[in-house]
Amino acid sequence: MMVTGSSALITNIQGYSVHDGPGIRTVVFLKGCGLRCLWCSNPECISPHPEIGFVKSLCARCGRCAAACTSGALAYEEGNYPHFNRQKCSGCGACATACPGKARLLYGKAMAAGEVFASISQDKMFYDASGGGLTVSGGEPLLQPEFVRDLFAMCRDVGIHTCIETAGHVPAAALQKVLSLTDYVLYDLKHMDDEKHKVYTGKHNALILDNARAVAASGVEVLFRMPLIPGINDDVENIRSTAWFLHSLGKRFLRIELMPYHRLGTGKYESLGRAYPLADLALPPAGHIEAAKSMFEDNGIRCTVSR
Ligand code: SF4
Ligand code: SF4
């Protein structure tokens, strides 16, 4: 009998990733995050509830989604785009199932850990050959620690490498629930100034820094990362403070990976009917990434840049 384990809301299971931990990996995106980073590129992962996205350019105006909806959230008139009332939507996903063109998308499908494991374990030969494995991301995966623990326990049983992508704004107990089953942690540091952290992410950073110290002390391999957002956290002072924090953790932690700012998530904001918070932010000048990299290196931190 298959062990099902706890359930979580999943927005996507993405295979063959080479950017989310070592080797070739499958990345499982969980829904729900306590932060509200202005630059977030996964807005569909913020709310802890199921949501419906709509991609107008894919819609054939056939009305099948409205016919499938039993909540009265979709109204259709022949030849027009269906009108969506988000307040009435229960997130059941019937409209997404009925849509022939993938114009309507369900963000947040409830899946048991055993079901996810059955899906991701099919690629074990690729993980083994490349030194890869499973990464859980989000959103904030540690807001659903029971699910992560159950999934990672199944991976451990068959030797699949496990990795968490976290921003660390979670209760310490949630971290402890999964750390002993985790092989690798990708840990984001967004801003070292507490007040600015609150302004740009909606939350203070004390809990994040405490959990970072706990991860560093645990002996689990960790890569600290920083989203590099022009005009927000790329100044000398913040880079120096981040470098000092890494020095305070010990010699094993004198490296960081920069994640350059991009706008790849703007289509998802549109599909959810939300405005992109940084729409007015100017794109960074040429040499911006190299300048930040040099500043870290000047402060004794090895620096790499992700895609
Ligand atoms: S998710 Fe369910 S309730 Fe919401 S619009 Fe689609 S069919 Fe209607
Ligand atoms: S079922 Fe899909 S293609 Fe048809 S009207 Fe609804 S969203 Fe558009």
Side-chain angles (χ1 to χ4, degrees), residues 220-257:
V220 176
E221 196 175 349
V222 52
L223 174 61
F224 287 99
R225 306 185 305 176
M226 189 177 100
L228 188 67
I229 315 299
I232 288 184
N233 67 355
D234 58 346
D235 54 285
V236 183
E237 197 183 339
N238 185 52
I239 288 180
R240 192 179 294 140
S241 301
T242 306
W244 284 349
F245 180 73
L246 295 174
H247 278 282
S248 78
L249 298 178
K251 285 186 181 151
R252 280 201 304 129
F253 305 102
L254 302 184
R255 64 173 178 148
I256 197 160
E257 182 166 280

Side-chain angles (χ1 to χ4, degrees), residues 117-303:
F117 175 73
S119 162
I120 69 104
S121 57
Q122 290 173 8
D123 285 338
K124 186 170 185 302
M125 71 173 116
F126 296 108
Y127 311 149
D128 291 347
S130 66
L134 166 70
T135 296
V136 290
S137 183
E140 175 51 69
L142 291 177
L143 291 180
Q144 302 183 75
E146 290 79 15
F147 171 84
V148 179
R149 178 200 59 202
D150 292 351
L151 180 56
F152 279 12
M154 292 173 199
C155 289
R156 273 280 162 97
D157 280 349
V158 297
I160 293 177
H161 184 271
T162 58
C163 170
I164 305 171
E165 272 188 323
T166 181
H169 197 274
V170 295
L175 187 61
Q176 294 309 327
K177 246 178 209 160
V178 302
L179 216 41
S180 64
L181 293 164
T182 303
D183 296 311
Y184 198 91
V185 180
L186 295 166
Y187 200 107
D188 291 359
L189 298 171
K190 297 168 195 284
H191 212 300
M192 299 308 288
D193 181 292
D194 190 38
E195 285 310 316
K196 289 182 181 167
H197 197 282
K198 174 92 169 66
V199 169
Y200 296 127
T201 74
K203 291 283 162 58
H204 290 289
N205 66 9
L207 179 59
I208 291 169
L209 299 181
D210 283 349
N211 281 333
R213 292 182 191 99
V215 170
S218 72
V220 176
E221 196 175 349
V222 52
L223 174 61
F224 287 99
R225 306 185 305 176
M226 189 177 100
L228 188 67
I229 315 299
I232 288 184
N233 67 355
D234 58 346
D235 54 285
V236 183
E237 197 183 339
N238 185 52
I239 288 180
R240 192 179 294 140
S241 301
T242 306
W244 284 349
F245 180 73
L246 295 174
H247 278 282
S248 78
L249 298 178
K251 285 186 181 151
R252 280 201 304 129
F253 305 102
L254 302 184
R255 64 173 178 148
I256 197 160
E257 182 166 280
L258 298 179
M259 298 182 288
Y261 173 66
H262 63 75
R263 292 179 175 172
L264 298 177
T266 49
K268 290 192 262 187
Y269 281 91
E270 278 170 31
S271 83
L272 288 163
R274 281 188 224 147
Y276 176 53
L278 291 185
D280 296 331
L281 186 75
L283 284 171
H288 172 248
I289 297 166
E290 290 68 24
K293 191 168 180 286
S294 296
M295 281 193 262
F296 270 112
E297 288 164 354
D298 290 347
N299 283 281
I301 303 296
R302 249 184 328 123
C303 186

Side-chain angles (χ1 to χ4, degrees), residues 3-174:
V3 180
T4 55
S6 310
S7 291
L9 283 181
I10 310 293
T11 60
N12 193 16
I13 297 179
Q14 182 188 319
Y16 307 105
S17 168
V18 291
H19 301 290
D20 300 277
I24 296 172
R25 313 191 70 83
T26 298
V27 187
V28 176
F29 292 87
L30 272 64
K31 205 157 169 16
C33 182
L35 300 180
R36 295 292 179 270
C37 305
L38 295 181
W39 53 87
C40 179
S41 58
N42 290 332
E44 78 284 12
C45 292
I46 294 175
S47 159
H49 306 293
E51 290 174 286
I52 289 295
F54 175 58
V55 182
K56 196 172 179 180
S57 61
L58 297 178
C59 177
R61 293 178 275 180
C62 66
R64 289 189 205 175
C65 54
C69 179
T70 55
S71 301
L74 283 163
Y76 175 66
E77 279 179 30
E78 184 83 36
N80 292 326
Y81 294 106
H83 176 73
F84 181 37
N85 184 337
R86 206 169 277 282
Q87 273 66 44
K88 288 188 177 175
C89 175
S90 67
C92 71
C95 55
T97 305
C99 176
K102 296 199 180 343
R104 241 168 250 287
L105 311 163
L106 173 63
Y107 294 129
K109 182 185 175 200
M111 293 181 80
E115 199 181 345
V116 174
F117 175 73
S119 162
I120 69 104
S121 57
Q122 290 173 8
D123 285 338
K124 186 170 185 302
M125 71 173 116
F126 296 108
Y127 311 149
D128 291 347
S130 66
L134 166 70
T135 296
V136 290
S137 183
E140 175 51 69
L142 291 177
L143 291 180
Q144 302 183 75
E146 290 79 15
F147 171 84
V148 179
R149 178 200 59 202
D150 292 351
L151 180 56
F152 279 12
M154 292 173 199
C155 289
R156 273 280 162 97
D157 280 349
V158 297
I160 293 177
H161 184 271
T162 58
C163 170
I164 305 171
E165 272 188 323
T166 181
H169 197 274
V170 295

